[in-house]
Amino acid sequence: MPVLKSARYILVNRWRRFLPKRKPTPVVLQNGMRLSTVRSLDEANAFSQQVKALPAHQDRSQEAERLKAQLLAQTPRAVLAQQQMDAHKHGYHNREKRLYELIEFNDTFVSFVLATRHAELPGLAERLKKDMTDFCRRLDTPMFSNEQYDAIVRGLAREIAVYRTAKYHGFGVRMTSRADDAFGIDMVITHPDSGKELNVDCKTPPAFRHRLEDLVHHGRISEDELLKGDAQGFLTVIHRRNQERVPVTLFCILPDRLGEISDFTFDEPDKLKVMLDAMFRGA
């Protein structure tokens, strides 16, 4: 009998393995509108705002589907905003509005990737690019160039990788919204033992160095502090606005120190834990 039970268990599990995966239900608004019915830029903008107003799903797959629908609907407007920003690098009267549209798009992009299960991350950026391209083609609007899209993915992948890997190591992590102008803070990381919090602003190596030099130029840090930040890869500074004083840790995402990022994940996750431990000790 034990042999028969074992054989039955194997057969049942093989059968389950080959069952087709249940696809998430597409997002359908109360008026019957769904992404497949959108045919113009105005409809896409209205659809994205209505999807944004929907409550978050408790089911992770359904929430990822909601965020993906919102992201695709935001894409045509974000592309046009990016084109206008690139064409008017020295500013123009609608710059703040266009910048806000890109910020909203980036926030949704990050939320969608974070809602996506780990097993589905490989190839996600490429699949998403195809879906965006198809949607923009249907609306007869431009799509991001390869260079623009790659820059968006690379930039957001750094923050996502820090978030995901910090959570993997047991730290508490909360993303901030760029739309809230949160002192440039990308995320708040909480130490699992002490409960201490760090307001983290993730920077590329060039942006990190430029920011430190700018702080020296304005007398907010010393040359010695710049050298210290350069050497350790992070520096906590005080951001000021009116009466508010907020400590923000500038964090240099340097591949030589943290390893490469693939599919929104650090290839060598233990290196980030070493850095986070050092940041909490030094803050």
Side-chain angles (χ1 to χ4, degrees), residues 37-283:
T37 67
V38 172
R39 287 294 182 272
S40 71
L41 183 60
D42 287 342
E43 287 183 3
N45 293 341
F47 182 82
S48 70
Q49 290 304 310
Q50 291 180 70
V51 174
K52 181 181 178 181
L54 293 174
H57 280 281
Q58 294 300 312
D59 179 82
R60 185 172 179 178
S61 295
Q62 295 294 345
E63 177 61 2
E65 188 72 10
R66 183 186 73 86
L67 290 166
K68 181 180 178 181
Q70 182 182 334
L71 181 64
L72 292 177
Q74 288 175 326
T75 298
R77 185 179 66 174
V79 172
L80 294 173
Q82 184 68 65
Q83 289 184 339
Q84 291 186 32
M85 296 285 286
D86 291 346
H88 302 87
K89 294 185 183 296
H90 301 293
Y92 61 106
H93 70 286
N94 277 332
R95 180 179 175 82
E96 285 192 13
K97 183 178 180 181
R98 299 290 85 84
L99 182 60
Y100 184 81
E101 289 167 354
L102 288 172
I103 285 171
E104 273 200 319
F105 174 85
N106 287 344
D107 277 346
T108 307
F109 192 111
V110 170
S111 296
F112 166 63
V113 176
L114 292 178
T116 302
R117 297 185 184 281
H118 180 75
E120 297 171 13
L121 291 178
L124 179 65
E126 292 75 16
R127 295 193 301 273
L128 195 55
K129 183 179 181 181
K130 181 183 182 305
D131 290 340
M132 288 178 176
T133 301
D134 291 344
F135 185 66
C136 288
R137 184 177 294 125
R138 175 149 59 84
L139 269 58
D140 196 24
T141 59
M143 168 59 182
F144 293 114
S145 68
N146 291 336
E147 294 76 14
Q148 288 171 335
Y149 184 76
D150 289 346
I152 290 169
V153 172
R154 282 198 309 273
L156 299 180
R158 283 184 283 265
E159 299 172 27
I160 294 168
V162 171
Y163 178 100
R164 287 171 43 76
T165 307
K167 288 202 75 170
Y168 169 77
H169 286 301
F171 292 86
V173 197
R174 174 175 57 83
M175 278 289 190
T176 63
S177 170
R178 295 164 180 80
D180 293 337
D181 189 23
F183 291 94
I185 299 166
D186 294 318
M187 67 192 76
V188 179
I189 302 179
T190 306
H191 196 281
D193 298 325
S194 68
K196 186 175 183 179
E197 290 185 343
L198 288 182
N199 301 313
V200 177
D201 180 6
C202 299
K203 297 287 190 187
T204 64
F208 179 74
R209 178 71 188 196
H210 181 270
R211 181 63 176 143
L212 293 184
E213 291 175 349
D214 188 57
L215 289 169
V216 170
H217 177 73
H218 288 92
R220 293 180 54 191
I221 65 171
S222 66
E223 288 281 356
D224 286 344
E225 288 174 309
L226 181 149
L227 294 174
K228 177 184 177 183
D230 234 3
Q232 64 188 10
F234 65 90
L235 187 69
T236 298
V237 298
I238 301 299
H239 283 203
R240 302 175 178 86
R241 184 167 59 197
N242 299 325
Q243 300 303 312
E244 291 185 87
R245 300 290 185 272
V246 178
V248 178
T249 301
L250 306 174
F251 182 22
C252 181
I253 311 301
L254 182 65
D256 289 349
R257 186 179 283 119
L258 296 169
E260 298 294 335
I261 295 172
S262 304
D263 298 315
F264 306 101
T265 307
F266 281 111
D267 294 344
E268 302 169 85
D270 289 345
K271 289 186 174 182
L272 179 70
K273 186 176 188 308
V274 172
M275 283 298 299
L276 289 177
D277 288 340
M279 288 162 66
F280 274 100
R281 286 194 303 269

